[in-house]
Structure formats: C-alpha cells, structure tokens
Amino acid sequence: MYFDFETLARKDRYKLLVSTVLPRPIAFVTSLDEKGRINAAPFSFFNAMSAHPPVVVIGVNADETRSKDTIHNVRATGEFVVNMVCEAFAEEMVVCAADFPPGENELEAAGLESLPSVKVKPPRVAASPVNMECVLQTVVALGNDQNIVIGRVVAMHVKDEFLDAEKLYVATERLGVIGRMHGTGWYARTTDLVQYPRITYAQWLERHGRRKAGE
Amino acid sequence: MYFDFETLARKDRYKLLVSTVLPRPIAFVTSLDEKGRINAAPFSFFNAMSAHPPVVVIGVNADETRSKDTIHNVRATGEFVVNMVCEAFAEEMVVCAADFPPGENELEAAGLESLPSVKVKPPRVAASPVNMECVLQTVVALGNDQNIVIGRVVAMHVKDEFLDAEKLYVATERLGVIGRMHGTGWYARTTDLVQYPRITYAQWLERHGRRKAGE
C-alpha cells in the first residue's frame, strides 16, 4: 500500500515510521539542568553517524514532557551521557520515560544508581554496560519543535566483564542490549543472531566466473 | 574500562562504536547517478529522527567505495529510497555492500528486482517489505569525508500482507526486519520480543503511595 507522506495526518506518519524503522537502538540520556539537577530519559531515534569524528545523533521532540527537559539541558550545558540499555534495567528505564515534572530526578525515582563521568558533568548510569560521554556539536532544528541533537563522543566506558581489553574486542552478544520495536512498549532482544559475511567485488566476480576489466 | 575518544586511534573508536551502539536498523539505499544508472548500498548508521516533519538520517562515510557512489548520487540528484531489509534478501543485500565500481548496478548483480517509485526517480527494491521515498534536505559535513544525509520522507510503501489498512496497523513482528550487530556480518533477528509498557507520572505516584503536589 502507498502512503503520500505530504498529505498523511501527523499521527499516522508517526505510527508508520515507528513501526517500520526497526530495530532502533536506545539512548538512555542523562543530563543536568543549570542548577545541577539530574534528568534521565530514553530515546530511540538514535544512532552513531561516524567514527572519525565519533558522532552520535538523537531525534528529540521538544513537545513531549520528557524530551523538553533533555533538549533544554543539552542546550544549556552542552553536555550529556548516552547510556546503552540492557534488559537488566529495562523496567527502570521505562519509568524514566514517564512525564515527571522538571527538576525531579528520574534516576532516583526509578531506583537507578549513577556514577561520575570523567570529561562531562552529567553522571552515567551504573547499571548500563556502555556509557558514552558526549559534548553537544550542534542542534539541527527541523521545525515544529523537532530537533536533531548532534553530539561528539569524547569518552566511552565499557564494563570490564564484556571486554577483551587487549584486542578491544567487545562481547557484543553478551551485552544484552535491547532495541525498540513498536506499539505499547515492545522491545527486541539481541539474542537471535544470524551471520551474513561481507564479500568483496573480487570474490563476487570469482563466484560468477567473471574477471575484472583488463585482466 | 575507560576510553578517551580524543586520543584513541580511529580504527579503535570505530570498533567500539559499532560493537556497542546496537541493534542498528538498516537502510538499503537506492539512488541514481546523473546518467540514470542505479546504485544500491546498505547503511546501518541510520534512523528516523522526527515524524513531523518526517525525517530520516544516514551516516555516509565517503571514503568507502560503496558510500562514495551513494553520497555522490544523493548530492547530484537530491533523491533516494530507503528500503528496509528482511532476512528473505539479506544475502543479496550483502552482495550490494561489495566494492562494485561506479556505474555497476548492484541490484542486478545481486539478482534483486526493482519497482518504480511514485514521487522520486530512484526505483525501490521489490523484495523489501517497506520502502521510503526520500528527498534530500541537507548534508551535514562532519569533516574527514564523513557526512550526515538528512532526508525528508515524501512517501512510503508497505506490502499489503503486513498491513491492516483501516487502522494503519503494521504487523511489525511479521516484517522480519533484521538489525546490524557487530563484527564480520552479524545481524539480529527481530523475533525474541519482550514488552515493557510505558507508565505515566500519575501511575508512578500511585504505585509509590504518593500524591501530586497540591492534591
């Protein structure tokens, strides 16, 4: 079925996008307001964009209560931490998505402990297997209070139990991160894995009994 | 373990980012060059950022062969199609990630059929359960040939078999989309699902025997 996104109602476009762009990684974002009060909220319009420079983006819609505080804090202080979410504290993460009033500490409300960061002031979530300390690079305003927060990763923490420090090898399959799926709170575990190894053009040519031009 | 991203080697930053920001949705992007020749390549630095306006972003690193053609085409024509990837054609998708020379039609090489789009010139992938026709909004240059392509979704196609057209309900759990994981070609199926329903602040207060201020 075909949908014209230029005439479709806003809520229907949202419904279609969040039920088809899948699975989405989750940025559980910690930030501080001007008075140093902690805010924590999860976002699934999130991904890495580049490793050199190391850049992540978060789509933050400032017309939602939980998002309003995050975008306010990030703009005011220029700093935030992205905490990856695993099943061990998914229920607590969901509590932090509730419409708490500004200044209320969602981490405390959810019973989540925090640890100090190294390069930025916002703390990181202790239960998270991976934390990324970020500084704001820029905010791209899309109109209608919708924004893309572009952040540079200045530091990363990975729990020792998931790391082969010598090879910088992360035991990804053991991290237990979950991705956002659809509807009223569905998430996908990263348990059911399948491998499709990359091939090169040379291998493809060989497979098809062809040769590179000029050979 | 703590990693200072401002001094860490480029390849190590890449390794850490792609093995921790998970699971990543995959944009299988079709585009046309100035001569109308099809290019197709998958990207996992991809997500929706907003529904109003409907915006997606793709991190495209122009120093890789496969990415070079995509960023060239998107810049030259201002149009592209994001095709979501399911297991049924994952192997073909991987073929399209190979370092084909510019002008070679990856879809044809991989044996994938295409269908015409409605609002943009690049065709869409027939095997894909969901196609998003996009126009380029802007490219954010991050330096070192790394770019964020910001696209506006002007139309979407969802295969009828996955859609309750009246309610605009997508049978997300049946789409069979896969997410990018780590290393040499590991992907996560969206099969092992778990539900953590959202709660409101009012529900949280009730659960903790507290009342809103002023009540």
Side-chain angles (χ1 to χ4, degrees), chain A residues 25-156:
Chain A
I26 303 167
F28 187 32
V29 176
T30 40
S31 61
L32 296 177
D33 70 10
E34 297 92 328
K35 294 177 179 164
R37 295 179 300 186
I38 297 177
N39 184 271
F43 298 89
S44 71
F45 285 175
F46 157 66
N47 210 333
M49 286 287 115
S50 161
H52 182 62
V55 166
V56 293
V57 292
I58 310 171
V60 180
N61 307 327
D63 52 356
E64 290 176 24
T65 310
R66 67 184 173 106
S67 311
K68 209 179 281 179
D69 296 342
T70 300
I71 188 87
H72 172 88
N73 292 355
V74 167
R75 277 198 164 118
T77 69
E79 297 184 342
F80 61 97
V81 175
V82 169
N83 307 278
M84 295 304 296
V85 176
C86 61
E87 226 181 319
F89 67 100
E91 229 163 309
E92 287 82 353
M93 175 270 293
V94 169
V95 168
C96 297
D99 49 337
F100 286 95
E104 180 124 14
N105 182 338
E106 289 88 357
L107 290 187
E108 212 172 81
L112 283 170
E113 281 176 38
S114 60
L115 288 169
S117 296
V118 176
K119 294 196 175 188
V120 300
K121 288 202 186 73
R124 54 202 180 93
V125 174
S128 178
V130 177
N131 320 94
M132 283 171 261
E133 301 185 14
C134 300
V135 297
L136 178 64
Q137 182 155 326
T138 188
V139 175
V140 179
L142 300 171
N144 307 322
D145 268 347
Q146 319 288 300
N147 299 284
I148 303 176
V149 169
I150 303 183
R152 185 186 276 253
V153 182
V154 291
M156 186 187 275

Side-chain angles (χ1 to χ4, degrees), chain A residues 1 3-4 6 13 15 52 99 119 156 158 160 167 184-185 187 189 191-192 194-196 201, chain B residues 1 3-4 6 13 15 52 99 119 156 158 160 167 184-185 187 189 191-192 194-196 201:
Chain A
M1 188 166 172
F3 299 96
D4 182 342
E6 289 168 308
R13 282 196 309 243
K15 220 160 142 181
H52 182 62
D99 49 337
K119 294 196 175 188
M156 186 187 275
V158 181
D160 288 349
K167 293 183 193 160
T184 49
Y187 295 81
R189 292 190 182 99
T191 43
D192 189 2
V194 54
Q195 193 177 26
Y196 298 104
Y201 180 53
Chain B
M1 188 165 173
F3 299 96
D4 182 342
E6 291 168 307
R13 282 196 310 243
K15 219 160 143 181
H52 181 63
D99 49 336
K119 293 194 174 189
M156 185 187 275
V158 181
D160 288 348
K167 293 183 193 159
T184 48
Y187 295 81
R189 294 189 180 100
T191 43
D192 188 3
V194 55
Q195 194 177 25
Y196 298 105
Y201 179 53

